[in-house]
Amino acid sequence: MAEPLVPLGEIVGTHGLKGWLKLNPFNPATTALSSSTEVIVEKSGSQSVHELEAGSPHKHQWLIKLRDLNSIDEASRYVGATLSVAEAALEVLAPGQYYHYQVVGFDVFSLGGERIGTISSTLSTRGGELYVVQGPTKEHLIPAVKEIIEKVDFSAGAVTINPPPGLLDL
């Protein structure tokens, strides 16, 4: 079985004439975009493997340079692609910590045991990370903060939340 891939962001444009790309990161604070990291670029169902030559934060994006891209023409074919890394390339976290992508697919329950829905994706915003929870009748955006997330149970595939009044009514 192939190692799981972790999407880091979407390539949204080129930068300059020498093959640099603009990346909208799913996690702006990522440490996975360092030089010499092997990255996977996926577009329209096809994947290609590249070595990251350089990467640096730029405003709310990242500017990245793939070692084998040296012109704007070569780089432009990757606009609209997703940039991923192998799960093993991610920094090892301390016990009790987890990456947000790891809870996608988990069921979400209130403290009282009421099922709210399933985490369908995560959303990075300037205000922080949100869990997109698909409920039976509507979608909820749940801030991924310790004041709301009470428990993440990896063995049960469940997240227990303590939502403030009105959060689930939005």
Side-chain angles (χ1 to χ4, degrees):
M1 182 171 107
E3 184 174 2
L5 296 179
V6 179
L8 297 181
E10 181 184 358
I11 297 171
V12 296
T14 59
H15 181 81
L17 301 175
K18 297 186 178 185
W20 284 79
L21 296 162
K22 291 181 187 178
L23 180 78
N24 275 354
F26 297 141
N27 173 10
T30 185
T31 58
L33 290 171
S34 59
S35 293
S36 301
T37 299
E38 184 177 272
V39 296
I40 295 86
V41 179
E42 183 175 355
K43 184 174 181 183
S44 303
S46 69
Q47 293 181 344
S48 56
V49 178
H50 303 270
E51 183 180 342
L52 190 63
E53 185 176 316
S56 64
H58 178 71
K59 299 181 182 174
H60 300 291
Q61 296 177 320
W62 274 74
L63 297 180
I64 59 169
K65 173 73 172 70
L66 303 180
R67 188 162 309 283
D68 52 348
L69 300 183
N70 296 306
S71 73
I72 189 170
D73 292 333
E74 292 172 341
S76 64
R77 68 177 178 222
Y78 293 105
V79 173
T82 300
L83 184 89
S84 301
V85 294
E87 192 171 44
L90 297 177
E91 181 180 338
V92 176
L93 299 176
Q97 294 182 326
Y98 62 93
Y99 286 104
H100 291 288
Y101 79 89
Q102 293 175 307
V103 297
V104 172
F106 281 24
D107 289 321
V108 178
F109 298 90
S110 69
L111 280 176
E114 175 191 355
R115 185 177 183 282
I116 295 164
T118 302
I119 299 174
S120 61
S121 64
T122 63
L123 182 63
S124 292
T125 69
R126 289 184 187 174
E129 195 78 13
L130 298 172
Y131 293 151
V132 180
V133 178
Q134 188 59 54
T137 58
K138 66 189 232 179
E139 184 177 85
H140 304 282
L141 297 177
I142 309 292
V145 295
K146 63 184 176 184
E147 293 82 9
I148 295 175
I149 306 298
E150 289 288 324
K151 180 180 179 185
V152 177
D153 185 341
F154 280 90
S155 61
V159 175
T160 303
I161 66 169
N162 184 10
L167 179 67
L168 300 175
D169 298 328
L170 298 174

